[in-house]
């Protein structure tokens, strides 16, 4: 099957929005410390840009999760890599590439809350509310998108396309 790509968000549009999100987080956490938790692998590009758009002392840590096979969620969230340090009494922002069904982020919020952080918020570059299966609050949303499969800027299809500088819609034709 041939895969076709159509650009949805250009690198420039993404960069402008990431700067706004960074400025908003900088205002909201002014005077405090912050831990950005990058959810691997999809968020690595967004988290790298977001971290540089936040003008505060911060720490970056990584959580590896896996819930997808190809383009379908399995609904089972597997932790492939845990945080490198405790987060008790710290303000945590969970950085996601996309909140789709909400299962992954819902599970991760529960997991992080068991570790006694001062607070946990979610910052997701993309939000697909049409597919929500659980009610999760996304505190910072880059773009609200329609129910189409997206790739690029960290998002993959079967581990490909993560290196595209823009975000495209993936269509499978024959
Ligand atoms: P959820 O658990 O269904 O909310 O899915 C969350 C994870 O699935 C995201 O962090 C992505 O890694 C992946 N995902 C969901 N939708 C897409 C998409 O359109 N393109 C690529 N990956 C996606
Ligand atoms: Mg993924």
């Amino acid at each position: 099957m041939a895969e076709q790509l159509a650009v949805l968000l250009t690198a420039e549009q993404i960069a402008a929005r990431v700067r706004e999100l960074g400025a908003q987080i900088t205002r909201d956490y002014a005077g405090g410390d912050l831990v950005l938790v990058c959810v691997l692998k999809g968020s690595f590009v967004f988290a790298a840009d977001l971290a540089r758009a936040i003008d505060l002392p911060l720490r970056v840590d990584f959580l590896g999760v896996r819930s997808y096979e190809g383009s379908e969620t399995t609904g089972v969230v597997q932790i492939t890599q845990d945080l490198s340090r405790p987060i008790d009494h710290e303000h945590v922002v969970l950085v996601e590439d996309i909140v789709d069904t909400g299962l992954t982020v819902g599970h991760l919020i529960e997991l992080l809350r068991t570790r006694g952080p001062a607070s946990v918020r979610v910052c997701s570059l993309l939000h697909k509310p049409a597919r929500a299966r659980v009610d999760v609050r996304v505190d910072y949303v880059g773009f609200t998108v329609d129910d189409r499969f997206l790739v690029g800027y960290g998002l993959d299809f079967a581990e490909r396309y993560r290196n595209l500088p823009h975000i495209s819609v993936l269509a499978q034709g024959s």
Side-chain angles (χ1 to χ4, degrees):
M1 262 197 301
E3 291 156 15
Q4 289 176 346
L5 298 177
V7 176
L8 178 72
L9 297 165
T10 65
E12 291 71 24
Q13 287 174 305
I14 297 168
R17 188 68 187 119
V18 171
R19 277 195 296 274
E20 289 174 357
L21 291 171
Q24 198 182 341
I25 291 172
T26 302
R27 283 194 300 275
D28 290 357
Y29 290 87
D33 282 5
L34 189 60
V35 186
L36 288 187
V37 172
C38 170
V39 182
L40 296 172
K41 296 180 225 168
S43 303
F44 81 105
V45 179
F46 175 44
D49 286 343
L50 182 68
R52 287 176 288 181
I54 299 173
D55 185 17
L56 290 175
L58 61 77
R59 204 154 77 64
V60 179
D61 211 335
F62 300 90
L63 256 186
V65 304
R66 193 160 179 273
S67 62
Y68 261 63
E69 296 286 348
S71 64
E72 278 305 309
T73 183
T74 58
V76 179
V77 182
Q78 195 189 331
I79 304 291
T80 58
Q81 182 185 318
D82 206 344
L83 298 175
S84 66
R85 290 207 205 169
I87 52 165
D88 50 305
H89 309 297
E90 298 199 79
H91 293 285
V92 174
V93 173
L94 198 54
V95 181
E96 262 288 18
D97 51 352
I98 183 164
V99 175
D100 185 33
T101 62
L103 290 167
T104 305
V105 94
H107 181 87
L108 294 180
I109 292 169
E110 294 294 303
L111 174 75
L112 295 181
R113 286 215 173 114
T114 64
R115 301 187 180 179
S119 66
V120 180
R121 284 188 183 164
V122 177
C123 177
S124 185
L125 180 68
L126 305 170
H127 189 205
K128 248 188 222 175
R131 298 243 311 163
R133 279 167 58 184
V134 288
D135 189 23
V136 288
R137 179 186 155 137
V138 186
D139 304 277
Y140 304 97
V141 177
F143 303 92
T144 299
V145 293
D146 294 337
D147 183 11
R148 288 181 293 182
F149 198 80
L150 305 176
V151 295
Y153 197 72
L155 292 113
D156 72 303
F157 171 66
E159 295 299 329
R160 284 164 54 218
Y161 305 116
R162 293 194 198 274
N163 57 322
L164 296 178
H166 50 263
I167 290 175
S168 280
V169 178
L170 181 82
Q172 285 189 321
S174 46

